[in-house]
Amino acid sequence: MPRVAIGEHDHLYYEVHGRGEPLLLIEGLGYATWMWHWQLPALSARYRTIIFDNRGVGDSSKPDAPYSIEGMAEDALRVLEASGTGKAHILGVSMGGYIGQVLAATRPELAASLILCSTSCGGPKATPAPPETWQSILAARALPPREALRRSMEPAFAPGFAGAHPALVEQIIDWRLAKPTPAHAWERQFQAVAAANLERHAAAVRSPTLILTGDADRVVPSANSELLRRLIPQAELGVIPGGGHLVFVEQAERVNQILLDFLGRHPLG
């Protein structure tokens, strides 16, 4: 299994799929490489697609020390280097979008294009999740593991989606339980997101950028994507009706086509 060192004792796990122009995928808070189950076949058919586990999840190390978005952007850079990749397209979802903004802003020569999905720049202008989302997540902590994941994930889907697709939800829970994220690692990732104010990074992005949001996102409301569009000079915004925070799962075929269309319009220069 490919791994790259981050410090003396820790490592990141990564995979490379397909051939073509390189495309780095950066996952969200608490999620591991399985998150790309619905994107990997379509994207790797045309692109050399690199996926990895952020520190704290999956097969990567889970240090109990402060994490930061800037530090995780350095992790992503190490994955690019270890995989023999220079300039690449970058796609980040949720927390991965935070990481992608920092990477594109601080290493512009490496970012051929940037795709930000279900994400924000954080800071005082960001629109927070509604109170009922946090109530659901906090209430889940007292439940047994499977039920806790089921309850905490429910707001990440568009209203009614989880109830209409129980097998899909249970598959995700199975993946999460197979390689659980320790409580300390989830908290470290959460603290990194909560502390982030990336307005200056977003404004410094010079790559062609696609911002995707579902208008039913109850975790990172779509107003955050509108803010990003105003901050990033070469940004275009795509709003997917009825899409939740996990719109790339709920409407995978549609999202994949949007991704491929955008990437096709912005080849490596």
Side-chain angles (χ1 to χ4, degrees), residues 129-139 151-152 155-156 217-220:
E132 53 268 26
T133 294
W134 290 116
Q135 291 166 6
S136 179
I137 292 171
L138 292 173
R151 179 74 65 86
S152 64
D217 191 331
R218 295 179 285 172
V219 178
V220 183

Side-chain angles (χ1 to χ4, degrees), residues 23-201:
L23 168 63
L24 178 69
L25 308 187
I26 313 176
E27 62 212 17
L29 195 161
Y31 284 54
T33 50
W34 54 259
M35 173 178 156
W36 304 113
H37 173 81
W38 292 270
Q39 276 64 57
L40 197 55
L43 297 180
S44 64
R46 301 190 192 181
Y47 293 88
R48 182 174 181 265
T49 305
I50 305 149
I51 61 176
F52 70 103
D53 289 331
N54 288 307
R55 62 173 67 202
V57 300
D59 288 313
S60 289
S61 295
K62 303 169 180 65
D64 191 4
Y67 300 4
S68 69
I69 298 301
E70 290 79 7
M72 287 190 280
E74 286 294 322
D75 291 347
L77 177 59
R78 289 187 180 94
V79 170
L80 283 177
E81 293 172 344
S83 63
T85 304
K87 194 172 187 179
H89 304 284
I90 299 168
L91 163 59
V93 168
S94 195
M95 182 184 76
Y98 283 61
I99 297 168
Q101 290 171 64
V102 172
L103 186 56
T106 58
R107 297 299 301 270
E109 75 280 8
L110 296 180
S113 69
L114 178 64
I115 301 170
L116 303 173
C117 181
S118 303
T119 195
S120 170
C121 61
K125 295 179 184 177
T127 301
E132 53 268 26
T133 294
W134 290 116
Q135 291 166 6
S136 179
I137 292 171
L138 292 173
R141 294 188 172 192
L143 300 172
R146 179 171 287 273
E147 182 58 30
L149 286 172
R150 189 180 296 112
R151 179 74 65 86
S152 64
M153 284 174 53
E154 196 276 335
F157 292 108
F161 182 89
H165 300 84
L168 182 150
V169 173
E170 294 305 313
Q171 176 63 80
I172 294 177
I173 292 172
D174 287 344
W175 286 328
R176 297 188 75 166
L177 289 175
K179 295 179 181 178
T181 300
H184 77 263
W186 191 95
E187 290 289 346
R188 294 296 188 181
Q189 287 194 351
F190 175 80
Q191 290 163 4
V193 172
N197 180 354
L198 306 180
E199 283 191 44
R200 65 182 179 87
H201 289 93

